[in-house]
Amino acid sequence: MPTFTAPDGTELAYHLCGEGDPLIVLPGGAMRASAYLGDLGGLTAHRRLVLLDLRGTGDSAIPVDPATYRCDRQVDDVEALRAHLGLDRVDLLAHSAGGNLATLYAARYPQQVSRLALITATPWAVGLPVTVEDRLTAARLREGESWFADAYPAFEAAWTGRGPFDDAMMPFFYGRWDATARAHTAAEEQQTNDDAAAVYGSAGAYDPPATRAALAELSAPVLVYAGELDTGPTPDLARRAAGLFPDARFVVQPGGGHFPWLDDPKGFAERVTAFLSGR
């Protein structure tokens, strides 16, 4: 397992898998170990994935200062990884909350980004939060599912603050609530640093006006990838985020949830590979 040293001295780990040109991958969660990404639907057949374990997750060390879990404080970790790999420019893929880290990286280091793929990325960094009503409206589209009657009350209670976040609501995050999705959910607790997640998007992490201004000058092509059934970001919110980039491609995966590579591995890998190869 390779490691490198972050600017503050924290030892960070990354995992390599697949063949081809390197693709740096930033996990979401927030602050979930990169193991949950798997091979991203077989993307390893086309690219060599460099899966970063963010500080305090997976095989990376816990930092001395917990304040460095904040999203903007981790941007230079990504830059240190680029330098460690000896790459002049990077193709960068990020999922969910990790999309904010990738967005801030592109805003701070635009000349180091060749292509940027944002996969069901929650666009907090650009001032586009997912509203409760957005989530509930999207969730109600699933009322024909066999699990809906049990899952919706838990989902509604969690997002309106009347109940905890628990596994009862998890079917809404997947296009198919099958054995693969259940196993993926079961692994989350052990893979996530909850203390770090609480700091990740805390006060001061984001400056949307400044980030939007910087992104307006970004020359790199950007893929904004949404799942048709995702409750956050919904396809409409993802479309609005795509409009902030000068050179953006917007894709909605039919039947896709928040983890679209699990719902349609082949289609996901084909769409992302097409973007990364310039097709």
Side-chain angles (χ1 to χ4, degrees), residues 26-29 36 92-104 116-130 135 200 206 222-227 230-242 244-245 250-251 257-261 268:
L26 305 181
Y36 83 94
L92 186 61
L93 181 148
H95 173 246
S96 190
N100 295 282
L101 178 54
T103 297
L104 293 184
L116 173 62
L118 300 174
I119 310 301
T120 60
T122 46
W124 305 318
V126 292
L128 292 176
V130 186
R135 292 189 186 277
Y200 187 79
Y206 307 124
V222 178
L223 172 67
V224 178
Y225 195 103
D230 197 358
T231 61
T234 60
D236 181 64
L237 186 64
R239 183 183 292 107
R240 290 167 58 197
L244 300 176
F245 298 96
F250 174 64
V251 172
H258 195 60
F259 305 94
W261 63 91
F268 175 84

CSV table of all heavy atoms in Angstrom, one decimal, residues 26-29 36 92-104 116-130 135 200 206 222-227 230-242 244-245 250-251 257-261 268:
chain,number,residue,atom,x,y,z
A,26,LEU,N,-11.5,10.6,-5.6
A,26,LEU,CA,-11.7,11.1,-4.3
A,26,LEU,C,-13.1,10.6,-3.8
A,26,LEU,O,-14.1,10.8,-4.4
A,26,LEU,CB,-11.8,12.7,-4.3
A,26,LEU,CG,-10.5,13.4,-4.9
A,26,LEU,CD1,-10.7,14.9,-4.8
A,26,LEU,CD2,-9.3,12.9,-4.2
A,27,PRO,N,-13.1,10.0,-2.6
A,27,PRO,CA,-14.3,9.4,-2.1
A,27,PRO,C,-15.2,10.4,-1.4
A,27,PRO,O,-14.8,11.5,-1.1
A,27,PRO,CB,-13.8,8.3,-1.1
A,27,PRO,CG,-12.5,8.9,-0.6
A,27,PRO,CD,-11.9,9.6,-1.8
A,28,GLY,N,-16.5,10.0,-1.3
A,28,GLY,CA,-17.4,10.9,-0.6
A,28,GLY,C,-17.7,10.4,0.8
A,28,GLY,O,-16.8,9.9,1.5
A,29,GLY,N,-18.9,10.4,1.3
A,29,GLY,CA,-19.3,9.9,2.6
A,29,GLY,C,-20.2,10.9,3.3
A,29,GLY,O,-21.3,10.6,3.5
A,36,TYR,N,-15.2,1.7,-0.5
A,36,TYR,CA,-16.6,1.5,-0.9
A,36,TYR,C,-16.8,1.7,-2.4
A,36,TYR,O,-17.8,1.4,-3.0
A,36,TYR,CB,-17.5,2.5,-0.2
A,36,TYR,CG,-17.6,3.9,-0.7
A,36,TYR,CD1,-18.6,4.3,-1.6
A,36,TYR,CD2,-16.6,4.9,-0.3
A,36,TYR,CE1,-18.6,5.6,-2.1
A,36,TYR,CE2,-16.7,6.1,-0.8
A,36,TYR,CZ,-17.7,6.5,-1.7
A,36,TYR,OH,-17.7,7.8,-2.2
A,92,LEU,N,-9.3,13.8,-12.7
A,92,LEU,CA,-9.8,13.7,-11.4
A,92,LEU,C,-11.2,13.3,-11.4
A,92,LEU,O,-12.0,13.9,-12.1
A,92,LEU,CB,-9.6,15.1,-10.7
A,92,LEU,CG,-9.9,15.2,-9.2
A,92,LEU,CD1,-9.0,14.3,-8.4
A,92,LEU,CD2,-9.7,16.7,-8.8
A,93,LEU,N,-11.6,12.3,-10.6
A,93,LEU,CA,-13.0,11.8,-10.5
A,93,LEU,C,-13.3,11.9,-9.0
A,93,LEU,O,-12.5,11.5,-8.1
A,93,LEU,CB,-13.1,10.4,-11.0
A,93,LEU,CG,-14.6,9.8,-11.0
A,93,LEU,CD1,-14.8,8.9,-12.1
A,93,LEU,CD2,-14.8,9.0,-9.6
A,94,ALA,N,-14.5,12.4,-8.7
A,94,ALA,CA,-14.9,12.5,-7.3
A,94,ALA,C,-16.4,12.1,-7.2
A,94,ALA,O,-17.2,12.4,-8.0
A,94,ALA,CB,-14.7,13.9,-6.7
A,95,HIS,N,-16.7,11.5,-6.0
A,95,HIS,CA,-18.1,11.0,-5.8
A,95,HIS,C,-18.7,11.8,-4.6
A,95,HIS,O,-18.0,12.0,-3.6
A,95,HIS,CB,-18.1,9.5,-5.5
A,95,HIS,CG,-19.5,9.0,-5.1
A,95,HIS,ND1,-19.7,8.5,-3.8
A,95,HIS,CD2,-20.6,9.0,-5.7
A,95,HIS,CE1,-21.0,8.2,-3.7
A,95,HIS,NE2,-21.6,8.4,-4.9
A,96,SER,N,-19.9,12.1,-4.7
A,96,SER,CA,-20.8,12.6,-3.7
A,96,SER,C,-20.1,13.8,-3.0
A,96,SER,O,-19.7,14.8,-3.6
A,96,SER,CB,-21.1,11.5,-2.7
A,96,SER,OG,-22.0,11.9,-1.7
A,97,ALA,N,-19.9,13.7,-1.6
A,97,ALA,CA,-19.3,14.8,-0.9
A,97,ALA,C,-17.9,15.1,-1.4
A,97,ALA,O,-17.4,16.2,-1.3
A,97,ALA,CB,-19.3,14.5,0.6
A,98,GLY,N,-17.2,14.1,-1.9
A,98,GLY,CA,-15.9,14.3,-2.5
A,98,GLY,C,-15.9,15.2,-3.6
A,98,GLY,O,-14.8,15.8,-4.0
A,99,GLY,N,-17.0,15.4,-4.3
A,99,GLY,CA,-17.1,16.4,-5.4
A,99,GLY,C,-16.8,17.8,-4.9
A,99,GLY,O,-16.3,18.6,-5.7
A,100,ASN,N,-17.0,18.1,-3.7
A,100,ASN,CA,-16.7,19.4,-3.2
A,100,ASN,C,-15.2,19.6,-3.1
A,100,ASN,O,-14.7,20.7,-3.4
A,100,ASN,CB,-17.4,19.7,-1.8
A,100,ASN,CG,-18.9,19.7,-2.0
A,100,ASN,OD1,-19.5,20.6,-2.4
A,100,ASN,ND2,-19.5,18.5,-1.6
A,101,LEU,N,-14.5,18.6,-2.6
A,101,LEU,CA,-13.1,18.6,-2.5
A,101,LEU,C,-12.5,18.8,-3.9
A,101,LEU,O,-11.6,19.6,-4.1
A,101,LEU,CB,-12.5,17.4,-1.8
A,101,LEU,CG,-11.0,17.2,-1.7
A,101,LEU,CD1,-10.4,18.4,-1.0
A,101,LEU,CD2,-10.7,15.9,-0.9
A,102,ALA,N,-13.0,18.0,-4.9
A,102,ALA,CA,-12.5,18.1,-6.3
A,102,ALA,C,-12.8,19.5,-6.8
A,102,ALA,O,-12.0,20.1,-7.6
A,102,ALA,CB,-13.1,17.0,-7.1
A,103,THR,N,-14.0,20.0,-6.5
A,103,THR,CA,-14.3,21.4,-7.1
A,103,THR,C,-13.4,22.4,-6.5
A,103,THR,O,-13.0,23.3,-7.2
A,103,THR,CB,-15.8,21.7,-6.7
A,103,THR,OG1,-16.7,20.7,-7.3
A,103,THR,CG2,-16.2,23.1,-7.1
A,104,LEU,N,-13.1,22.4,-5.2
A,104,LEU,CA,-12.2,23.4,-4.6
A,104,LEU,C,-10.8,23.2,-5.1
A,104,LEU,O,-10.1,24.2,-5.3
A,104,LEU,CB,-12.2,23.2,-3.1
A,104,LEU,CG,-13.5,23.6,-2.4
A,104,LEU,CD1,-13.3,23.5,-0.8
A,104,LEU,CD2,-14.0,24.9,-2.7
A,116,LEU,N,-12.2,16.7,-15.3
A,116,LEU,CA,-12.9,16.5,-14.0
A,116,LEU,C,-14.2,15.9,-14.1
A,116,LEU,O,-15.1,16.3,-14.9
A,116,LEU,CB,-13.0,17.9,-13.3
A,116,LEU,CG,-13.8,18.0,-12.0
A,116,LEU,CD1,-13.1,17.2,-10.9
A,116,LEU,CD2,-14.0,19.5,-11.6
A,117,ALA,N,-14.4,14.7,-13.4
A,117,ALA,CA,-15.6,14.0,-13.4
A,117,ALA,C,-16.3,14.0,-12.1
A,117,ALA,O,-15.7,13.5,-11.1
A,117,ALA,CB,-15.4,12.5,-13.9
A,118,LEU,N,-17.4,14.6,-11.9
A,118,LEU,CA,-18.2,14.8,-10.7
A,118,LEU,C,-19.3,13.8,-10.7
A,118,LEU,O,-20.3,14.0,-11.5
A,118,LEU,CB,-18.7,16.2,-10.5
A,118,LEU,CG,-17.5,17.3,-10.5
A,118,LEU,CD1,-18.2,18.7,-10.4
A,118,LEU,CD2,-16.6,17.1,-9.3
A,119,ILE,N,-19.3,12.8,-9.9
A,119,ILE,CA,-20.3,11.7,-9.9
A,119,ILE,C,-21.2,11.9,-8.8
A,119,ILE,O,-20.8,11.8,-7.6
A,119,ILE,CB,-19.6,10.3,-9.8
A,119,ILE,CG1,-18.4,10.2,-10.9
A,119,ILE,CG2,-20.6,9.2,-10.0
A,119,ILE,CD1,-18.9,10.3,-12.3
A,120,THR,N,-22.5,12.1,-9.1
A,120,THR,CA,-23.6,12.4,-8.1
A,120,THR,C,-23.0,13.2,-7.0
A,120,THR,O,-23.1,12.9,-5.8
A,120,THR,CB,-24.2,11.1,-7.5
A,120,THR,OG1,-23.2,10.2,-6.9
A,120,THR,CG2,-24.9,10.3,-8.7
A,121,ALA,N,-22.4,14.3,-7.3
A,121,ALA,CA,-21.7,15.2,-6.4
A,121,ALA,C,-22.6,16.2,-5.8
A,121,ALA,O,-23.3,17.0,-6.5
A,121,ALA,CB,-20.5,15.9,-7.1
A,122,THR,N,-22.6,16.3,-4.5
A,122,THR,CA,-23.4,17.3,-3.8
A,122,THR,C,-22.8,18.7,-3.9
A,122,THR,O,-21.7,18.8,-3.4
A,122,THR,CB,-23.6,16.9,-2.3
A,122,THR,OG1,-22.3,16.5,-1.8
A,122,THR,CG2,-24.6,15.7,-2.2
A,123,PRO,N,-23.4,19.7,-4.6
A,123,PRO,CA,-22.7,20.9,-4.9
A,123,PRO,C,-22.7,22.0,-3.8
A,123,PRO,O,-23.0,23.1,-4.1
A,123,PRO,CB,-23.4,21.4,-6.2
A,123,PRO,CG,-24.8,20.8,-6.0
A,123,PRO,CD,-24.7,19.6,-5.2
A,124,TRP,N,-22.3,21.6,-2.6
A,124,TRP,CA,-22.3,22.6,-1.5
A,124,TRP,C,-21.3,23.7,-1.8
A,124,TRP,O,-21.5,24.8,-1.4
A,124,TRP,CB,-22.0,21.9,-0.2
A,124,TRP,CG,-22.8,20.7,0.2
A,124,TRP,CD1,-24.2,20.7,0.1
A,124,TRP,CD2,-22.4,19.5,0.8
A,124,TRP,NE1,-24.6,19.5,0.6
A,124,TRP,CE2,-23.6,18.7,1.0
A,124,TRP,CE3,-21.2,19.0,1.2
A,124,TRP,CZ2,-23.5,17.4,1.5
A,124,TRP,CZ3,-21.1,17.7,1.7
A,124,TRP,CH2,-22.3,17.0,1.9
A,125,ALA,N,-20.2,23.3,-2.3
A,125,ALA,CA,-19.1,24.3,-2.5
A,125,ALA,C,-19.4,25.4,-3.4
A,125,ALA,O,-18.8,26.5,-3.4
A,125,ALA,CB,-17.8,23.6,-3.0
A,126,VAL,N,-20.4,25.3,-4.3
A,126,VAL,CA,-20.9,26.3,-5.2
A,126,VAL,C,-22.2,26.9,-4.7
A,126,VAL,O,-22.9,27.6,-5.5
A,126,VAL,CB,-20.9,25.9,-6.6
A,126,VAL,CG1,-19.5,25.6,-7.1
A,126,VAL,CG2,-21.8,24.6,-6.8
A,127,GLY,N,-22.6,26.6,-3.5
A,127,GLY,CA,-23.8,27.3,-3.0
A,127,GLY,C,-25.1,26.7,-3.5
A,127,GLY,O,-26.1,27.4,-3.5
A,128,LEU,N,-25.1,25.4,-3.8
A,128,LEU,CA,-26.3,24.8,-4.3
A,128,LEU,C,-26.7,23.6,-3.4
A,128,LEU,O,-26.5,22.4,-3.7
A,128,LEU,CB,-26.2,24.3,-5.7
A,128,LEU,CG,-26.0,25.4,-6.8
A,128,LEU,CD1,-25.7,24.7,-8.2
A,128,LEU,CD2,-27.3,26.2,-6.9
A,129,PRO,N,-27.2,23.8,-2.2
A,129,PRO,CA,-27.5,22.7,-1.3
A,129,PRO,C,-28.7,22.0,-1.7
A,129,PRO,O,-29.6,22.5,-2.5
A,129,PRO,CB,-27.8,23.5,0.0
A,129,PRO,CG,-28.3,24.8,-0.4
A,129,PRO,CD,-27.5,25.2,-1.6
A,130,VAL,N,-28.8,20.7,-1.3
A,130,VAL,CA,-30.0,19.9,-1.6
A,130,VAL,C,-31.1,20.3,-0.6
A,130,VAL,O,-30.8,20.2,0.6
A,130,VAL,CB,-29.7,18.4,-1.5
A,130,VAL,CG1,-30.9,17.6,-2.0
A,130,VAL,CG2,-28.5,18.1,-2.4
A,135,ARG,N,-35.4,16.4,-1.7
A,135,ARG,CA,-35.2,15.0,-1.4
A,135,ARG,C,-36.5,14.2,-1.3
A,135,ARG,O,-36.6,13.1,-1.8
A,135,ARG,CB,-34.4,14.9,-0.1
A,135,ARG,CG,-33.0,15.4,-0.1
A,135,ARG,CD,-32.3,15.1,1.2
A,135,ARG,NE,-30.9,15.6,1.2
A,135,ARG,CZ,-29.8,15.1,0.6
A,135,ARG,NH1,-30.0,13.9,0.0
A,135,ARG,NH2,-28.6,15.6,0.7
A,200,TYR,N,-16.1,18.1,8.1
A,200,TYR,CA,-15.8,18.3,6.6
A,200,TYR,C,-16.5,19.5,6.0
A,200,TYR,O,-15.8,20.3,5.3
A,200,TYR,CB,-16.3,17.0,5.9
A,200,TYR,CG,-16.0,16.9,4.5
A,200,TYR,CD1,-14.7,16.5,4.0
A,200,TYR,CD2,-16.9,17.2,3.5
A,200,TYR,CE1,-14.4,16.4,2.7
A,200,TYR,CE2,-16.6,17.1,2.2
A,200,TYR,CZ,-15.4,16.7,1.8
A,200,TYR,OH,-15.1,16.6,0.4
A,206,TYR,N,-16.5,26.5,2.8
A,206,TYR,CA,-16.9,26.9,1.5
A,206,TYR,C,-17.1,28.4,1.4
A,206,TYR,O,-17.6,29.0,2.3
A,206,TYR,CB,-18.2,26.2,1.0
A,206,TYR,CG,-18.1,24.7,1.2
A,206,TYR,CD1,-19.1,24.0,1.9
A,206,TYR,CD2,-17.1,23.9,0.6
A,206,TYR,CE1,-19.1,22.6,2.1
A,206,TYR,CE2,-17.1,22.6,0.8
A,206,TYR,CZ,-18.0,21.9,1.5
A,206,TYR,OH,-18.0,20.6,1.7
A,222,VAL,N,-15.5,19.2,-17.9
A,222,VAL,CA,-16.1,18.7,-16.7
A,222,VAL,C,-17.3,17.8,-17.0
A,222,VAL,O,-18.1,18.2,-17.9
A,222,VAL,CB,-16.5,19.9,-15.8
A,222,VAL,CG1,-17.2,19.3,-14.5
A,222,VAL,CG2,-15.3,20.7,-15.4
A,223,LEU,N,-17.3,16.7,-16.4
A,223,LEU,CA,-18.5,15.8,-16.5
A,223,LEU,C,-19.3,15.9,-15.2
A,223,LEU,O,-18.8,15.7,-14.1
A,223,LEU,CB,-18.1,14.3,-16.7
A,223,LEU,CG,-19.2,13.3,-16.7
A,223,LEU,CD1,-20.2,13.5,-17.8
A,223,LEU,CD2,-18.6,11.9,-16.7
A,224,VAL,N,-20.6,16.3,-15.3
A,224,VAL,CA,-21.5,16.3,-14.2
A,224,VAL,C,-22.4,15.1,-14.4
A,224,VAL,O,-23.3,15.2,-15.3
A,224,VAL,CB,-22.2,17.6,-14.0
A,224,VAL,CG1,-23.2,17.6,-12.8
A,224,VAL,CG2,-21.2,18.7,-13.8
A,225,TYR,N,-22.3,14.1,-13.5
A,225,TYR,CA,-23.0,12.8,-13.7
A,225,TYR,C,-24.0,12.6,-12.7
A,225,TYR,O,-23.7,12.6,-11.5
A,225,TYR,CB,-22.0,11.7,-13.7
A,225,TYR,CG,-22.4,10.4,-14.2
A,225,TYR,CD1,-22.0,9.9,-15.5
A,225,TYR,CD2,-23.2,9.5,-13.5
A,225,TYR,CE1,-22.4,8.7,-16.0
A,225,TYR,CE2,-23.6,8.3,-14.0
A,225,TYR,CZ,-23.2,7.9,-15.2
A,225,TYR,OH,-23.5,6.6,-15.7
A,226,ALA,N,-25.3,12.5,-13.1
A,226,ALA,CA,-26.4,12.3,-12.1
A,226,ALA,C,-27.1,11.0,-12.2
A,226,ALA,O,-27.1,10.4,-13.3
A,226,ALA,CB,-27.4,13.5,-12.3
A,227,GLY,N,-27.7,10.6,-11.2
A,227,GLY,CA,-28.5,9.4,-11.2
A,227,GLY,C,-30.0,9.8,-11.3
A,227,GLY,O,-30.4,10.7,-10.6
A,230,ASP,N,-31.6,9.6,-7.9
A,230,ASP,CA,-30.9,10.1,-6.8
A,230,ASP,C,-31.7,11.2,-6.0
A,230,ASP,O,-32.3,12.1,-6.7
A,230,ASP,CB,-29.6,10.7,-7.2
A,230,ASP,CG,-28.6,10.9,-6.1
A,230,ASP,OD1,-28.9,10.6,-4.9
A,230,ASP,OD2,-27.4,11.3,-6.4
A,231,THR,N,-31.8,11.1,-4.7
A,231,THR,CA,-32.5,12.1,-3.9
A,231,THR,C,-31.6,13.3,-3.6
A,231,THR,O,-32.1,14.3,-3.0
A,231,THR,CB,-33.1,11.5,-2.7
A,231,THR,OG1,-32.0,11.0,-1.8
A,231,THR,CG2,-34.0,10.4,-3.0
A,232,GLY,N,-30.4,13.3,-3.9
A,232,GLY,CA,-29.5,14.4,-3.6
A,232,GLY,C,-28.0,14.1,-4.0
A,232,GLY,O,-27.4,13.2,-3.4
A,233,PRO,N,-27.6,14.7,-5.1
A,233,PRO,CA,-28.3,15.8,-5.8
A,233,PRO,C,-29.3,15.2,-6.8
A,233,PRO,O,-29.0,14.1,-7.4
A,233,PRO,CB,-27.2,16.5,-6.6
A,233,PRO,CG,-26.2,15.4,-6.9
A,233,PRO,CD,-26.2,14.5,-5.6
A,234,THR,N,-30.4,15.8,-6.9
A,234,THR,CA,-31.4,15.4,-7.9
A,234,THR,C,-30.8,15.8,-9.3
A,234,THR,O,-29.9,16.6,-9.4
A,234,THR,CB,-32.7,16.1,-7.7
A,234,THR,OG1,-32.5,17.5,-7.8
A,234,THR,CG2,-33.3,15.8,-6.4
A,235,PRO,N,-31.3,15.2,-10.4
A,235,PRO,CA,-30.8,15.6,-11.7
A,235,PRO,C,-31.0,17.1,-12.0
A,235,PRO,O,-30.1,17.6,-12.6
A,235,PRO,CB,-31.7,14.7,-12.6
A,235,PRO,CG,-32.0,13.5,-11.8
A,235,PRO,CD,-32.2,14.0,-10.4
A,236,ASP,N,-32.0,17.7,-11.5
A,236,ASP,CA,-32.2,19.1,-11.8
A,236,ASP,C,-31.1,19.9,-11.1
A,236,ASP,O,-30.6,20.9,-11.7
A,236,ASP,CB,-33.6,19.6,-11.3
A,236,ASP,CG,-33.8,21.0,-11.6
A,236,ASP,OD1,-33.9,21.4,-12.7
A,236,ASP,OD2,-34.0,21.8,-10.6
A,237,LEU,N,-30.8,19.6,-9.8
A,237,LEU,CA,-29.8,20.3,-9.1
A,237,LEU,C,-28.4,20.1,-9.8
A,237,LEU,O,-27.6,21.0,-9.9
A,237,LEU,CB,-29.7,19.9,-7.7
A,237,LEU,CG,-28.7,20.6,-6.8
A,237,LEU,CD1,-29.2,22.1,-6.7
A,237,LEU,CD2,-28.7,20.0,-5.4
A,238,ALA,N,-28.1,18.8,-10.2
A,238,ALA,CA,-26.9,18.6,-10.9
A,238,ALA,C,-26.8,19.3,-12.2
A,238,ALA,O,-25.7,19.8,-12.6
A,238,ALA,CB,-26.8,17.1,-11.2
A,239,ARG,N,-27.9,19.5,-12.9
A,239,ARG,CA,-27.9,20.3,-14.1
A,239,ARG,C,-27.6,21.7,-13.9
A,239,ARG,O,-26.8,22.4,-14.6
A,239,ARG,CB,-29.3,20.2,-14.8
A,239,ARG,CG,-29.4,20.9,-16.2
A,239,ARG,CD,-30.7,20.8,-16.8
A,239,ARG,NE,-31.1,19.5,-17.2
A,239,ARG,CZ,-31.9,18.7,-16.5
A,239,ARG,NH1,-32.5,19.1,-15.5
A,239,ARG,NH2,-32.2,17.5,-17.0
A,240,ARG,N,-28.1,22.3,-12.8
A,240,ARG,CA,-27.7,23.6,-12.4
A,240,ARG,C,-26.3,23.8,-12.1
A,240,ARG,O,-25.6,24.8,-12.5
A,240,ARG,CB,-28.6,24.1,-11.2
A,240,ARG,CG,-30.1,24.3,-11.6
A,240,ARG,CD,-30.9,24.4,-10.3
A,240,ARG,NE,-30.5,25.5,-9.5
A,240,ARG,CZ,-30.8,25.6,-8.2
A,240,ARG,NH1,-31.6,24.7,-7.6
A,240,ARG,NH2,-30.4,26.7,-7.5
A,241,ALA,N,-25.7,22.8,-11.4
A,241,ALA,CA,-24.3,22.8,-11.1
A,241,ALA,C,-23.4,22.8,-12.4
A,241,ALA,O,-22.4,23.5,-12.5
A,241,ALA,CB,-23.9,21.7,-10.2
A,242,ALA,N,-23.9,22.0,-13.3
A,242,ALA,CA,-23.1,21.9,-14.6
A,242,ALA,C,-23.0,23.2,-15.3
A,242,ALA,O,-22.0,23.5,-16.0
A,242,ALA,CB,-23.8,20.8,-15.5
A,244,LEU,N,-22.4,26.0,-14.2
A,244,LEU,CA,-21.4,26.9,-13.6
A,244,LEU,C,-20.0,26.7,-14.3
A,244,LEU,O,-19.1,27.5,-14.0
A,244,LEU,CB,-21.3,26.6,-12.1
A,244,LEU,CG,-22.6,26.9,-11.3
A,244,LEU,CD1,-22.3,26.6,-9.9
A,244,LEU,CD2,-23.0,28.3,-11.5
A,245,PHE,N,-19.9,25.6,-15.1
A,245,PHE,CA,-18.6,25.3,-15.7
A,245,PHE,C,-18.6,25.7,-17.2
A,245,PHE,O,-19.6,25.5,-17.9
A,245,PHE,CB,-18.2,23.8,-15.6
A,245,PHE,CG,-18.1,23.3,-14.2
A,245,PHE,CD1,-19.2,22.7,-13.5
A,245,PHE,CD2,-16.9,23.5,-13.5
A,245,PHE,CE1,-19.0,22.3,-12.2
A,245,PHE,CE2,-16.7,23.0,-12.2
A,245,PHE,CZ,-17.8,22.4,-11.6
A,250,PHE,N,-23.3,17.1,-19.2
A,250,PHE,CA,-24.2,16.7,-18.2
A,250,PHE,C,-24.9,15.4,-18.6
A,250,PHE,O,-25.4,15.3,-19.7
A,250,PHE,CB,-25.3,17.8,-18.0
A,250,PHE,CG,-26.4,17.4,-17.1
A,250,PHE,CD1,-26.1,17.1,-15.7
A,250,PHE,CD2,-27.7,17.2,-17.5
A,250,PHE,CE1,-27.2,16.7,-14.9
A,250,PHE,CE2,-28.7,16.9,-16.7
A,250,PHE,CZ,-28.5,16.6,-15.4
A,251,VAL,N,-24.8,14.4,-17.8
A,251,VAL,CA,-25.3,13.0,-18.1
A,251,VAL,C,-26.2,12.6,-16.9
A,251,VAL,O,-25.9,12.7,-15.8
A,251,VAL,CB,-24.2,12.0,-18.3
A,251,VAL,CG1,-24.7,10.6,-18.4
A,251,VAL,CG2,-23.3,12.4,-19.5
A,257,GLY,N,-29.1,5.5,-8.9
A,257,GLY,CA,-29.2,6.1,-7.7
A,257,GLY,C,-27.9,6.9,-7.3
A,257,GLY,O,-27.3,7.4,-8.2
A,258,HIS,N,-27.6,7.0,-6.0
A,258,HIS,CA,-26.5,7.8,-5.6
A,258,HIS,C,-25.2,7.1,-5.8
A,258,HIS,O,-24.1,7.7,-5.8
A,258,HIS,CB,-26.6,8.1,-4.1
A,258,HIS,CG,-25.7,9.2,-3.6
A,258,HIS,ND1,-25.7,10.5,-4.2
A,258,HIS,CD2,-24.7,9.2,-2.7
A,258,HIS,CE1,-24.8,11.2,-3.6
A,258,HIS,NE2,-24.2,10.5,-2.7
A,259,PHE,N,-25.2,5.8,-6.1
A,259,PHE,CA,-24.0,5.0,-6.3
A,259,PHE,C,-24.2,4.3,-7.7
A,259,PHE,O,-24.4,3.1,-7.8
A,259,PHE,CB,-23.8,3.9,-5.3
A,259,PHE,CG,-23.8,4.5,-3.9
A,259,PHE,CD1,-24.9,4.5,-3.1
A,259,PHE,CD2,-22.6,5.0,-3.3
A,259,PHE,CE1,-24.9,5.1,-1.8
A,259,PHE,CE2,-22.5,5.5,-2.0
A,259,PHE,CZ,-23.7,5.5,-1.3
A,260,PRO,N,-24.2,5.1,-8.8
A,260,PRO,CA,-24.6,4.6,-10.1
A,260,PRO,C,-23.8,3.5,-10.7
A,260,PRO,O,-24.3,2.7,-11.5
A,260,PRO,CB,-24.5,5.9,-11.0
A,260,PRO,CG,-23.5,6.8,-10.3
A,260,PRO,CD,-23.7,6.5,-8.8
A,261,TRP,N,-22.6,3.3,-10.2
A,261,TRP,CA,-21.7,2.2,-10.8
A,261,TRP,C,-22.3,0.9,-10.3
A,261,TRP,O,-22.0,-0.2,-10.9
A,261,TRP,CB,-20.3,2.4,-10.4
A,261,TRP,CG,-20.0,2.4,-8.9
A,261,TRP,CD1,-19.7,1.3,-8.1
A,261,TRP,CD2,-20.0,3.5,-8.0
A,261,TRP,NE1,-19.5,1.7,-6.8
A,261,TRP,CE2,-19.7,3.0,-6.7
A,261,TRP,CE3,-20.2,4.9,-8.2
A,261,TRP,CZ2,-19.6,3.9,-5.6
A,261,TRP,CZ3,-20.2,5.7,-7.1
A,261,TRP,CH2,-19.8,5.2,-5.9
A,268,PHE,N,-22.2,2.7,-16.7
A,268,PHE,CA,-21.4,3.7,-16.0
A,268,PHE,C,-20.0,3.8,-16.5
A,268,PHE,O,-19.5,4.9,-16.9
A,268,PHE,CB,-21.4,3.4,-14.5
A,268,PHE,CG,-20.6,4.4,-13.7
A,268,PHE,CD1,-21.1,5.6,-13.3
A,268,PHE,CD2,-19.3,4.0,-13.4
A,268,PHE,CE1,-20.3,6.4,-12.5
A,268,PHE,CE2,-18.5,4.9,-12.6
A,268,PHE,CZ,-19.0,6.1,-12.2
